[in-house]
Amino acid sequence: MAPPRARTGLPLGKVLVIGGALFLIFLLYRHMHPPPPARPTASLPPEEIRALTGRQIALVAGHTGSDPGATCADGLTEQSVNRRIVEHAAEILRSVPAQVMVLQEYDPRLDGLQADVFLSVHADSCLPLSGFKVARWARSPHPARDDRLVRCLRYHYWLITGLSPDPEHVTEDMTEYHAFHRVAPDTPAAIIEVGYLGGDRELLTQRPDLPALGIVEGLACFLGGTP
Ligand SMILES: [Zn+2]
C-alpha cells in the first residue's frame, strides 16, 4: 500500500480569498487609472492636428436626404458608403477638435456657406473599375486656391488608400457640381469620388476609416498651407 500523498498547495478556501482580494485590488487600480479612450487622432501627426484645430469644415455626405445614388445588384448603395466615410472623417475631425458640419446633398445651409473648407464626398459606379477622382468648380473664383485643395486631397488620399488617381475621367457632374454655385465664393471647395462601388468595394465597405483618414489628411495639408 502506497503511503498517502503529501498535500501540496493551499486549501481551496484560501485560494478564493487571495484571488478575490487580488481582483479587488485590480478593480481599485483600474478605477484610479482608467485606460485612455480610443483616440482616432492618435494617427495624425502634430502638424496636421495644428492645421485642423478649431477650423470650420463642411462635408457633404453625397446623396443623403435625396436619393441612394449608384445602386449595385446586391443592394449596396452609394449613399450608404458616402455616409459611413463622412461619419468616420467627422469623428476624426471632431476629436482634434475641429468644427465639423455634415451636410445633406441639397442641404439648405449650402446657400452662402462660409467655411475654411468645403468637400462633397461621393463614390463611383458598380463597374469593376478602380480609382478615385478629385475636382474643383470649373468656374471657381479662386482657381489657384482650389487647385491646391485638389492637389492636397489627391496626394494624401492616394498615400493612405493606395487607390490610383484617375483625373482623366473627371466628369462635368464633378466640375459643375451643384453645390459649387451655392457656397460662398470665399469658401475653398472640392468634390471627391472616393472609389468605385465595383472594383474598390472592399476598401470602401470594409475599411471606411482609410478613405476617411485620406480625406482628413488632405484637408490638413490644405489648411496647413502646404504649397
Ligand atoms: Zn454620387
Side-chain angles (χ1 to χ4, degrees):
M1 195 178 151
R5 229 189 272 182
R7 288 186 59 173
T8 56
L10 295 164
L12 184 64
K14 262 191 187 164
V15 170
L16 285 177
V17 168
I18 292 170
L22 286 174
F23 185 63
L24 280 176
I25 289 169
F26 167 76
L27 285 183
L28 192 67
Y29 176 82
R30 252 302 145 87
H31 180 72
M32 289 161 68
H33 306 272
R39 294 267 325 252
T41 44
S43 49
L44 290 182
E47 67 271 18
E48 292 189 356
I49 291 179
R50 268 198 301 279
L52 293 165
T53 300
R55 306 306 286 266
Q56 292 189 320
I57 297 165
L59 302 172
V60 167
H63 302 275
T64 51
S66 164
D67 61 279
T71 304
C72 304
D74 66 348
L76 178 69
T77 67
E78 183 199 338
Q79 192 210 85
S80 68
V81 167
N82 299 338
R83 204 179 49 229
R84 276 189 74 199
I85 291 173
V86 166
E87 277 167 7
H88 268 279
E91 191 187 333
I92 300 172
L93 289 165
R94 286 187 181 120
S95 71
V96 166
Q99 296 177 45
V100 191
M101 201 188 275
V102 173
L103 303 166
Q104 295 193 334
E105 184 66 67
Y106 295 101
D107 204 300
R109 289 173 291 175
L110 285 167
D111 290 313
L113 178 87
Q114 304 263 6
D116 291 311
V117 68
F118 167 85
L119 179 69
S120 183
V121 176
H122 283 255
D124 250 310
S125 70
C126 307
L127 292 172
L129 299 171
S130 178
F132 73 96
K133 298 168 234 176
V134 190
R136 58 140 168 108
W137 188 14
R139 292 173 283 140
S140 164
H142 300 281
R145 174 200 69 187
D146 291 349
D147 276 341
R148 194 169 64 78
L149 172 58
V150 167
R151 281 199 303 274
C152 272
L153 284 163
R154 205 178 274 157
Y155 176 69
H156 285 274
Y157 196 82
W158 166 76
L159 209 62
I160 299 285
T161 64
L163 293 188
S164 315
D166 185 13
E168 269 128 66
H169 293 102
V170 167
T171 60
E172 218 173 73
D173 282 351
M174 296 183 77
T175 58
E176 291 295 335
Y177 179 59
H178 69 90
F180 290 152
H181 308 240
R182 296 177 62 184
V183 303
D186 286 345
T187 299
I191 180 170
I192 184 167
E193 296 267 5
V194 291
Y196 282 84
L197 299 184
D200 303 317
R201 165 182 291 239
E202 201 177 311
L203 171 79
L204 300 179
T205 60
Q206 305 301 310
R207 295 298 312 270
D209 53 314
L210 291 178
L213 187 62
I215 286 169
V216 167
E217 297 213 338
L219 298 176
C221 157
F222 174 75
L223 294 170
T226 306

PDB file of all heavy atoms in Angstrom, residues 36-73:
ATOM      1  N   PRO A  36      -6.838  55.010 -21.374  1.00  0.00           N
ATOM      2  CA  PRO A  36      -7.199  56.173 -22.185  1.00  0.00           C
ATOM      3  C   PRO A  36      -8.251  55.781 -23.217  1.00  0.00           C
ATOM      4  O   PRO A  36      -8.243  54.658 -23.706  1.00  0.00           O
ATOM      5  CB  PRO A  36      -5.886  56.547 -22.877  1.00  0.00           C
ATOM      6  CG  PRO A  36      -5.051  55.306 -22.841  1.00  0.00           C
ATOM      7  CD  PRO A  36      -5.488  54.534 -21.633  1.00  0.00           C
ATOM      8  N   PRO A  37      -9.195  56.690 -23.539  1.00  0.00           N
ATOM      9  CA  PRO A  37     -10.196  56.368 -24.561  1.00  0.00           C
ATOM     10  C   PRO A  37      -9.511  56.225 -25.915  1.00  0.00           C
ATOM     11  O   PRO A  37      -8.460  56.810 -26.147  1.00  0.00           O
ATOM     12  CB  PRO A  37     -11.123  57.591 -24.551  1.00  0.00           C
ATOM     13  CG  PRO A  37     -10.310  58.708 -23.958  1.00  0.00           C
ATOM     14  CD  PRO A  37      -9.310  58.071 -23.039  1.00  0.00           C
ATOM     15  N   ALA A  38     -10.131  55.410 -26.798  1.00  0.00           N
ATOM     16  CA  ALA A  38      -9.580  55.246 -28.146  1.00  0.00           C
ATOM     17  C   ALA A  38      -9.591  56.604 -28.837  1.00  0.00           C
ATOM     18  O   ALA A  38     -10.625  57.257 -28.907  1.00  0.00           O
ATOM     19  CB  ALA A  38     -10.428  54.252 -28.921  1.00  0.00           C
ATOM     20  N   ARG A  39      -8.451  57.092 -29.280  1.00  0.00           N
ATOM     21  CA  ARG A  39      -8.361  58.418 -29.897  1.00  0.00           C
ATOM     22  C   ARG A  39      -8.049  58.274 -31.369  1.00  0.00           C
ATOM     23  O   ARG A  39      -6.941  57.925 -31.728  1.00  0.00           O
ATOM     24  CB  ARG A  39      -7.230  59.243 -29.246  1.00  0.00           C
ATOM     25  CG  ARG A  39      -7.456  59.597 -27.789  1.00  0.00           C
ATOM     26  CD  ARG A  39      -8.130  60.950 -27.611  1.00  0.00           C
ATOM     27  NE  ARG A  39      -7.741  61.928 -28.601  1.00  0.00           N
ATOM     28  CZ  ARG A  39      -6.960  62.965 -28.343  1.00  0.00           C
ATOM     29  NH1 ARG A  39      -6.449  63.122 -27.157  1.00  0.00           N
ATOM     30  NH2 ARG A  39      -6.700  63.835 -29.295  1.00  0.00           N
ATOM     31  N   PRO A  40      -9.035  58.558 -32.240  1.00  0.00           N
ATOM     32  CA  PRO A  40      -8.748  58.449 -33.667  1.00  0.00           C
ATOM     33  C   PRO A  40      -7.668  59.413 -34.126  1.00  0.00           C
ATOM     34  O   PRO A  40      -7.065  59.220 -35.151  1.00  0.00           O
ATOM     35  CB  PRO A  40     -10.084  58.769 -34.344  1.00  0.00           C
ATOM     36  CG  PRO A  40     -11.071  59.010 -33.273  1.00  0.00           C
ATOM     37  CD  PRO A  40     -10.383  59.009 -31.957  1.00  0.00           C
ATOM     38  N   THR A  41      -7.431  60.505 -33.349  1.00  0.00           N
ATOM     39  CA  THR A  41      -6.403  61.456 -33.764  1.00  0.00           C
ATOM     40  C   THR A  41      -5.005  60.929 -33.497  1.00  0.00           C
ATOM     41  O   THR A  41      -4.037  61.541 -33.901  1.00  0.00           O
ATOM     42  CB  THR A  41      -6.550  62.779 -33.000  1.00  0.00           C
ATOM     43  OG1 THR A  41      -6.790  62.492 -31.649  1.00  0.00           O
ATOM     44  CG2 THR A  41      -7.643  63.638 -33.566  1.00  0.00           C
ATOM     45  N   ALA A  42      -4.907  59.792 -32.796  1.00  0.00           N
ATOM     46  CA  ALA A  42      -3.588  59.284 -32.441  1.00  0.00           C
ATOM     47  C   ALA A  42      -2.720  59.107 -33.683  1.00  0.00           C
ATOM     48  O   ALA A  42      -1.505  59.232 -33.620  1.00  0.00           O
ATOM     49  CB  ALA A  42      -3.729  57.970 -31.705  1.00  0.00           C
ATOM     50  N   SER A  43      -3.381  58.833 -34.841  1.00  0.00           N
ATOM     51  CA  SER A  43      -2.607  58.582 -36.042  1.00  0.00           C
ATOM     52  C   SER A  43      -2.276  59.857 -36.814  1.00  0.00           C
ATOM     53  O   SER A  43      -1.567  59.801 -37.805  1.00  0.00           O
ATOM     54  CB  SER A  43      -3.366  57.607 -36.945  1.00  0.00           C
ATOM     55  OG  SER A  43      -4.688  58.048 -37.093  1.00  0.00           O
ATOM     56  N   LEU A  44      -2.790  61.017 -36.371  1.00  0.00           N
ATOM     57  CA  LEU A  44      -2.490  62.257 -37.084  1.00  0.00           C
ATOM     58  C   LEU A  44      -1.210  62.882 -36.523  1.00  0.00           C
ATOM     59  O   LEU A  44      -1.077  63.040 -35.323  1.00  0.00           O
ATOM     60  CB  LEU A  44      -3.636  63.268 -36.911  1.00  0.00           C
ATOM     61  CG  LEU A  44      -4.963  62.989 -37.602  1.00  0.00           C
ATOM     62  CD1 LEU A  44      -5.921  64.144 -37.341  1.00  0.00           C
ATOM     63  CD2 LEU A  44      -4.799  62.784 -39.087  1.00  0.00           C
ATOM     64  N   PRO A  45      -0.285  63.265 -37.404  1.00  0.00           N
ATOM     65  CA  PRO A  45       0.920  63.927 -36.909  1.00  0.00           C
ATOM     66  C   PRO A  45       0.583  65.308 -36.320  1.00  0.00           C
ATOM     67  O   PRO A  45      -0.430  65.908 -36.694  1.00  0.00           O
ATOM     68  CB  PRO A  45       1.799  64.061 -38.155  1.00  0.00           C
ATOM     69  CG  PRO A  45       0.969  63.663 -39.313  1.00  0.00           C
ATOM     70  CD  PRO A  45      -0.301  63.053 -38.828  1.00  0.00           C
ATOM     71  N   PRO A  46       1.433  65.811 -35.394  1.00  0.00           N
ATOM     72  CA  PRO A  46       1.112  67.058 -34.680  1.00  0.00           C
ATOM     73  C   PRO A  46       0.862  68.241 -35.616  1.00  0.00           C
ATOM     74  O   PRO A  46      -0.002  69.063 -35.338  1.00  0.00           O
ATOM     75  CB  PRO A  46       2.356  67.318 -33.823  1.00  0.00           C
ATOM     76  CG  PRO A  46       3.172  66.087 -33.868  1.00  0.00           C
ATOM     77  CD  PRO A  46       2.682  65.199 -34.949  1.00  0.00           C
ATOM     78  N   GLU A  47       1.584  68.320 -36.753  1.00  0.00           N
ATOM     79  CA  GLU A  47       1.381  69.492 -37.627  1.00  0.00           C
ATOM     80  C   GLU A  47      -0.005  69.449 -38.276  1.00  0.00           C
ATOM     81  O   GLU A  47      -0.601  70.495 -38.541  1.00  0.00           O
ATOM     82  CB  GLU A  47       2.492  69.611 -38.675  1.00  0.00           C
ATOM     83  CG  GLU A  47       2.536  68.515 -39.726  1.00  0.00           C
ATOM     84  CD  GLU A  47       3.391  67.317 -39.301  1.00  0.00           C
ATOM     85  OE1 GLU A  47       3.672  67.175 -38.089  1.00  0.00           O
ATOM     86  OE2 GLU A  47       3.785  66.528 -40.183  1.00  0.00           O
ATOM     87  N   GLU A  48      -0.537  68.242 -38.490  1.00  0.00           N
ATOM     88  CA  GLU A  48      -1.884  68.148 -39.057  1.00  0.00           C
ATOM     89  C   GLU A  48      -2.930  68.523 -38.007  1.00  0.00           C
ATOM     90  O   GLU A  48      -3.925  69.173 -38.319  1.00  0.00           O
ATOM     91  CB  GLU A  48      -2.140  66.736 -39.594  1.00  0.00           C
ATOM     92  CG  GLU A  48      -1.268  66.441 -40.803  1.00  0.00           C
ATOM     93  CD  GLU A  48      -1.628  65.139 -41.500  1.00  0.00           C
ATOM     94  OE1 GLU A  48      -2.509  64.412 -41.016  1.00  0.00           O
ATOM     95  OE2 GLU A  48      -1.003  64.861 -42.536  1.00  0.00           O
ATOM     96  N   ILE A  49      -2.696  68.102 -36.770  1.00  0.00           N
ATOM     97  CA  ILE A  49      -3.618  68.468 -35.694  1.00  0.00           C
ATOM     98  C   ILE A  49      -3.635  69.992 -35.541  1.00  0.00           C
ATOM     99  O   ILE A  49      -4.702  70.602 -35.435  1.00  0.00           O
ATOM    100  CB  ILE A  49      -3.217  67.756 -34.380  1.00  0.00           C
ATOM    101  CG1 ILE A  49      -3.489  66.255 -34.533  1.00  0.00           C
ATOM    102  CG2 ILE A  49      -3.991  68.327 -33.192  1.00  0.00           C
ATOM    103  CD1 ILE A  49      -3.145  65.413 -33.354  1.00  0.00           C
ATOM    104  N   ARG A  50      -2.448  70.614 -35.604  1.00  0.00           N
ATOM    105  CA  ARG A  50      -2.387  72.087 -35.520  1.00  0.00           C
ATOM    106  C   ARG A  50      -3.168  72.731 -36.660  1.00  0.00           C
ATOM    107  O   ARG A  50      -3.895  73.696 -36.466  1.00  0.00           O
ATOM    108  CB  ARG A  50      -0.922  72.556 -35.587  1.00  0.00           C
ATOM    109  CG  ARG A  50      -0.263  72.703 -34.219  1.00  0.00           C
ATOM    110  CD  ARG A  50       0.978  73.565 -34.307  1.00  0.00           C
ATOM    111  NE  ARG A  50       1.979  73.015 -35.225  1.00  0.00           N
ATOM    112  CZ  ARG A  50       2.834  72.054 -34.906  1.00  0.00           C
ATOM    113  NH1 ARG A  50       2.802  71.523 -33.690  1.00  0.00           N
ATOM    114  NH2 ARG A  50       3.712  71.612 -35.784  1.00  0.00           N
ATOM    115  N   ALA A  51      -3.004  72.189 -37.878  1.00  0.00           N
ATOM    116  CA  ALA A  51      -3.655  72.769 -39.061  1.00  0.00           C
ATOM    117  C   ALA A  51      -5.174  72.669 -38.973  1.00  0.00           C
ATOM    118  O   ALA A  51      -5.886  73.516 -39.516  1.00  0.00           O
ATOM    119  CB  ALA A  51      -3.151  72.076 -40.324  1.00  0.00           C
ATOM    120  N   LEU A  52      -5.678  71.633 -38.307  1.00  0.00           N
ATOM    121  CA  LEU A  52      -7.126  71.380 -38.285  1.00  0.00           C
ATOM    122  C   LEU A  52      -7.830  71.974 -37.069  1.00  0.00           C
ATOM    123  O   LEU A  52      -9.045  72.194 -37.102  1.00  0.00           O
ATOM    124  CB  LEU A  52      -7.385  69.865 -38.294  1.00  0.00           C
ATOM    125  CG  LEU A  52      -6.988  69.108 -39.560  1.00  0.00           C
ATOM    126  CD1 LEU A  52      -6.944  67.605 -39.289  1.00  0.00           C
ATOM    127  CD2 LEU A  52      -7.963  69.409 -40.695  1.00  0.00           C
ATOM    128  N   THR A  53      -7.082  72.248 -35.994  1.00  0.00           N
ATOM    129  CA  THR A  53      -7.700  72.647 -34.732  1.00  0.00           C
ATOM    130  C   THR A  53      -8.524  73.929 -34.895  1.00  0.00           C
ATOM    131  O   THR A  53      -8.021  74.939 -35.391  1.00  0.00           O
ATOM    132  CB  THR A  53      -6.621  72.844 -33.640  1.00  0.00           C
ATOM    133  OG1 THR A  53      -5.941  71.594 -33.473  1.00  0.00           O
ATOM    134  CG2 THR A  53      -7.243  73.255 -32.315  1.00  0.00           C
ATOM    135  N   GLY A  54      -9.789  73.839 -34.493  1.00  0.00           N
ATOM    136  CA  GLY A  54     -10.674  74.998 -34.499  1.00  0.00           C
ATOM    137  C   GLY A  54     -11.175  75.413 -35.872  1.00  0.00           C
ATOM    138  O   GLY A  54     -11.933  76.378 -35.983  1.00  0.00           O
ATOM    139  N   ARG A  55     -10.779  74.718 -36.929  1.00  0.00           N
ATOM    140  CA  ARG A  55     -11.203  75.122 -38.276  1.00  0.00           C
ATOM    141  C   ARG A  55     -12.633  74.676 -38.549  1.00  0.00           C
ATOM    142  O   ARG A  55     -13.095  73.672 -38.007  1.00  0.00           O
ATOM    143  CB  ARG A  55     -10.256  74.518 -39.339  1.00  0.00           C
ATOM    144  CG  ARG A  55      -8.801  74.831 -39.093  1.00  0.00           C
ATOM    145  CD  ARG A  55      -8.508  76.301 -38.948  1.00  0.00           C
ATOM    146  NE  ARG A  55      -8.543  77.040 -40.194  1.00  0.00           N
ATOM    147  CZ  ARG A  55      -7.468  77.285 -40.955  1.00  0.00           C
ATOM    148  NH1 ARG A  55      -6.276  76.868 -40.590  1.00  0.00           N
ATOM    149  NH2 ARG A  55      -7.588  77.967 -42.076  1.00  0.00           N
ATOM    150  N   GLN A  56     -13.293  75.432 -39.431  1.00  0.00           N
ATOM    151  CA  GLN A  56     -14.672  75.108 -39.809  1.00  0.00           C
ATOM    152  C   GLN A  56     -14.640  74.288 -41.082  1.00  0.00           C
ATOM    153  O   GLN A  56     -14.195  74.779 -42.129  1.00  0.00           O
ATOM    154  CB  GLN A  56     -15.472  76.382 -40.038  1.00  0.00           C
ATOM    155  CG  GLN A  56     -15.695  77.155 -38.743  1.00  0.00           C
ATOM    156  CD  GLN A  56     -16.673  78.295 -38.935  1.00  0.00           C
ATOM    157  OE1 GLN A  56     -16.640  78.975 -39.949  1.00  0.00           O
ATOM    158  NE2 GLN A  56     -17.533  78.491 -37.954  1.00  0.00           N
ATOM    159  N   ILE A  57     -15.094  73.054 -40.979  1.00  0.00           N
ATOM    160  CA  ILE A  57     -15.011  72.125 -42.105  1.00  0.00           C
ATOM    161  C   ILE A  57     -16.410  71.617 -42.437  1.00  0.00           C
ATOM    162  O   ILE A  57     -17.103  71.082 -41.563  1.00  0.00           O
ATOM    163  CB  ILE A  57     -14.055  70.964 -41.757  1.00  0.00           C
ATOM    164  CG1 ILE A  57     -12.646  71.543 -41.530  1.00  0.00           C
ATOM    165  CG2 ILE A  57     -14.048  69.915 -42.863  1.00  0.00           C
ATOM    166  CD1 ILE A  57     -11.692  70.618 -40.843  1.00  0.00           C
ATOM    167  N   ALA A  58     -16.832  71.816 -43.683  1.00  0.00           N
ATOM    168  CA  ALA A  58     -18.166  71.387 -44.107  1.00  0.00           C
ATOM    169  C   ALA A  58     -18.031  70.210 -45.069  1.00  0.00           C
ATOM    170  O   ALA A  58     -17.293  70.284 -46.056  1.00  0.00           O
ATOM    171  CB  ALA A  58     -18.894  72.546 -44.786  1.00  0.00           C
ATOM    172  N   LEU A  59     -18.715  69.118 -44.744  1.00  0.00           N
ATOM    173  CA  LEU A  59     -18.655  67.907 -45.570  1.00  0.00           C
ATOM    174  C   LEU A  59     -20.064  67.537 -46.018  1.00  0.00           C
ATOM    175  O   LEU A  59     -20.984  67.501 -45.195  1.00  0.00           O
ATOM    176  CB  LEU A  59     -18.075  66.735 -44.763  1.00  0.00           C
ATOM    177  CG  LEU A  59     -16.678  66.908 -44.171  1.00  0.00           C
ATOM    178  CD1 LEU A  59     -16.348  65.732 -43.258  1.00  0.00           C
ATOM    179  CD2 LEU A  59     -15.633  67.016 -45.287  1.00  0.00           C
ATOM    180  N   VAL A  60     -20.218  67.250 -47.300  1.00  0.00           N
ATOM    181  CA  VAL A  60     -21.486  66.708 -47.789  1.00  0.00           C
ATOM    182  C   VAL A  60     -21.348  65.196 -47.894  1.00  0.00           C
ATOM    183  O   VAL A  60     -20.404  64.698 -48.526  1.00  0.00           O
ATOM    184  CB  VAL A  60     -21.862  67.287 -49.169  1.00  0.00           C
ATOM    185  CG1 VAL A  60     -23.008  66.486 -49.798  1.00  0.00           C
ATOM    186  CG2 VAL A  60     -22.274  68.751 -49.049  1.00  0.00           C
ATOM    187  N   ALA A  61     -22.267  64.466 -47.257  1.00  0.00           N
ATOM    188  CA  ALA A  61     -22.346  63.018 -47.464  1.00  0.00           C
ATOM    189  C   ALA A  61     -23.243  62.826 -48.686  1.00  0.00           C
ATOM    190  O   ALA A  61     -24.459  62.978 -48.595  1.00  0.00           O
ATOM    191  CB  ALA A  61     -22.921  62.341 -46.223  1.00  0.00           C
ATOM    192  N   GLY A  62     -22.620  62.553 -49.815  1.00  0.00           N
ATOM    193  CA  GLY A  62     -23.292  62.569 -51.108  1.00  0.00           C
ATOM    194  C   GLY A  62     -24.597  61.777 -51.145  1.00  0.00           C
ATOM    195  O   GLY A  62     -24.658  60.643 -50.674  1.00  0.00           O
ATOM    196  N   HIS A  63     -25.647  62.397 -51.675  1.00  0.00           N
ATOM    197  CA  HIS A  63     -26.974  61.817 -51.899  1.00  0.00           C
ATOM    198  C   HIS A  63     -27.814  61.695 -50.631  1.00  0.00           C
ATOM    199  O   HIS A  63     -28.982  61.315 -50.712  1.00  0.00           O
ATOM    200  CB  HIS A  63     -26.903  60.450 -52.595  1.00  0.00           C
ATOM    201  CG  HIS A  63     -26.198  60.498 -53.909  1.00  0.00           C
ATOM    202  ND1 HIS A  63     -26.830  60.844 -55.083  1.00  0.00           N
ATOM    203  CD2 HIS A  63     -24.897  60.297 -54.227  1.00  0.00           C
ATOM    204  CE1 HIS A  63     -25.941  60.824 -56.071  1.00  0.00           C
ATOM    205  NE2 HIS A  63     -24.760  60.500 -55.585  1.00  0.00           N
ATOM    206  N   THR A  64     -27.258  62.007 -49.447  1.00  0.00           N
ATOM    207  CA  THR A  64     -28.084  61.876 -48.234  1.00  0.00           C
ATOM    208  C   THR A  64     -29.246  62.864 -48.304  1.00  0.00           C
ATOM    209  O   THR A  64     -29.121  63.963 -48.825  1.00  0.00           O
ATOM    210  CB  THR A  64     -27.259  62.132 -46.950  1.00  0.00           C
ATOM    211  OG1 THR A  64     -26.555  63.361 -47.089  1.00  0.00           O
ATOM    212  CG2 THR A  64     -26.281  61.010 -46.692  1.00  0.00           C
ATOM    213  N   GLY A  65     -30.368  62.422 -47.788  1.00  0.00           N
ATOM    214  CA  GLY A  65     -31.572  63.248 -47.793  1.00  0.00           C
ATOM    215  C   GLY A  65     -32.185  63.409 -49.163  1.00  0.00           C
ATOM    216  O   GLY A  65     -33.111  64.194 -49.339  1.00  0.00           O
ATOM    217  N   SER A  66     -31.666  62.678 -50.159  1.00  0.00           N
ATOM    218  CA  SER A  66     -32.139  62.886 -51.520  1.00  0.00           C
ATOM    219  C   SER A  66     -32.449  61.569 -52.239  1.00  0.00           C
ATOM    220  O   SER A  66     -33.594  61.247 -52.510  1.00  0.00           O
ATOM    221  CB  SER A  66     -31.061  63.678 -52.275  1.00  0.00           C
ATOM    222  OG  SER A  66     -31.261  63.617 -53.657  1.00  0.00           O
ATOM    223  N   ASP A  67     -31.416  60.783 -52.515  1.00  0.00           N
ATOM    224  CA  ASP A  67     -31.591  59.551 -53.303  1.00  0.00           C
ATOM    225  C   ASP A  67     -30.436  58.612 -52.990  1.00  0.00           C
ATOM    226  O   ASP A  67     -29.442  59.036 -52.399  1.00  0.00           O
ATOM    227  CB  ASP A  67     -31.612  59.895 -54.805  1.00  0.00           C
ATOM    228  CG  ASP A  67     -30.306  60.535 -55.236  1.00  0.00           C
ATOM    229  OD1 ASP A  67     -30.126  61.749 -55.012  1.00  0.00           O
ATOM    230  OD2 ASP A  67     -29.432  59.806 -55.753  1.00  0.00           O
ATOM    231  N   PRO A  68     -30.563  57.326 -53.363  1.00  0.00           N
ATOM    232  CA  PRO A  68     -29.497  56.371 -52.981  1.00  0.00           C
ATOM    233  C   PRO A  68     -28.203  56.521 -53.775  1.00  0.00           C
ATOM    234  O   PRO A  68     -27.185  55.950 -53.393  1.00  0.00           O
ATOM    235  CB  PRO A  68     -30.126  54.998 -53.226  1.00  0.00           C
ATOM    236  CG  PRO A  68     -31.279  55.229 -54.132  1.00  0.00           C
ATOM    237  CD  PRO A  68     -31.718  56.653 -53.976  1.00  0.00           C
ATOM    238  N   GLY A  69     -28.206  57.295 -54.862  1.00  0.00           N
ATOM    239  CA  GLY A  69     -27.012  57.354 -55.707  1.00  0.00           C
ATOM    240  C   GLY A  69     -26.861  56.051 -56.459  1.00  0.00           C
ATOM    241  O   GLY A  69     -27.840  55.327 -56.689  1.00  0.00           O
ATOM    242  N   ALA A  70     -25.634  55.707 -56.855  1.00  0.00           N
ATOM    243  CA  ALA A  70     -25.398  54.447 -57.563  1.00  0.00           C
ATOM    244  C   ALA A  70     -25.850  53.289 -56.679  1.00  0.00           C
ATOM    245  O   ALA A  70     -25.613  53.288 -55.475  1.00  0.00           O
ATOM    246  CB  ALA A  70     -23.918  54.316 -57.895  1.00  0.00           C
ATOM    247  N   THR A  71     -26.531  52.307 -57.279  1.00  0.00           N
ATOM    248  CA  THR A  71     -27.020  51.154 -56.515  1.00  0.00           C
ATOM    249  C   THR A  71     -26.581  49.869 -57.220  1.00  0.00           C
ATOM    250  O   THR A  71     -26.837  49.700 -58.412  1.00  0.00           O
ATOM    251  CB  THR A  71     -28.560  51.197 -56.397  1.00  0.00           C
ATOM    252  OG1 THR A  71     -28.932  52.450 -55.819  1.00  0.00           O
ATOM    253  CG2 THR A  71     -29.079  50.078 -55.520  1.00  0.00           C
ATOM    254  N   CYS A  72     -25.908  48.985 -56.493  1.00  0.00           N
ATOM    255  CA  CYS A  72     -25.392  47.744 -57.085  1.00  0.00           C
ATOM    256  C   CYS A  72     -26.462  46.649 -57.030  1.00  0.00           C
ATOM    257  O   CYS A  72     -27.460  46.765 -56.308  1.00  0.00           O
ATOM    258  CB  CYS A  72     -24.144  47.284 -56.348  1.00  0.00           C
ATOM    259  SG  CYS A  72     -22.853  48.547 -56.316  1.00  0.00           S
ATOM    260  N   ALA A  73     -26.208  45.562 -57.776  1.00  0.00           N
ATOM    261  CA  ALA A  73     -27.192  44.479 -57.898  1.00  0.00           C
ATOM    262  C   ALA A  73     -27.551  43.885 -56.537  1.00  0.00           C
ATOM    263  O   ALA A  73     -28.689  43.469 -56.313  1.00  0.00           O
ATOM    264  CB  ALA A  73     -26.641  43.391 -58.818  1.00  0.00           C
TER     265      ALA A  73
END
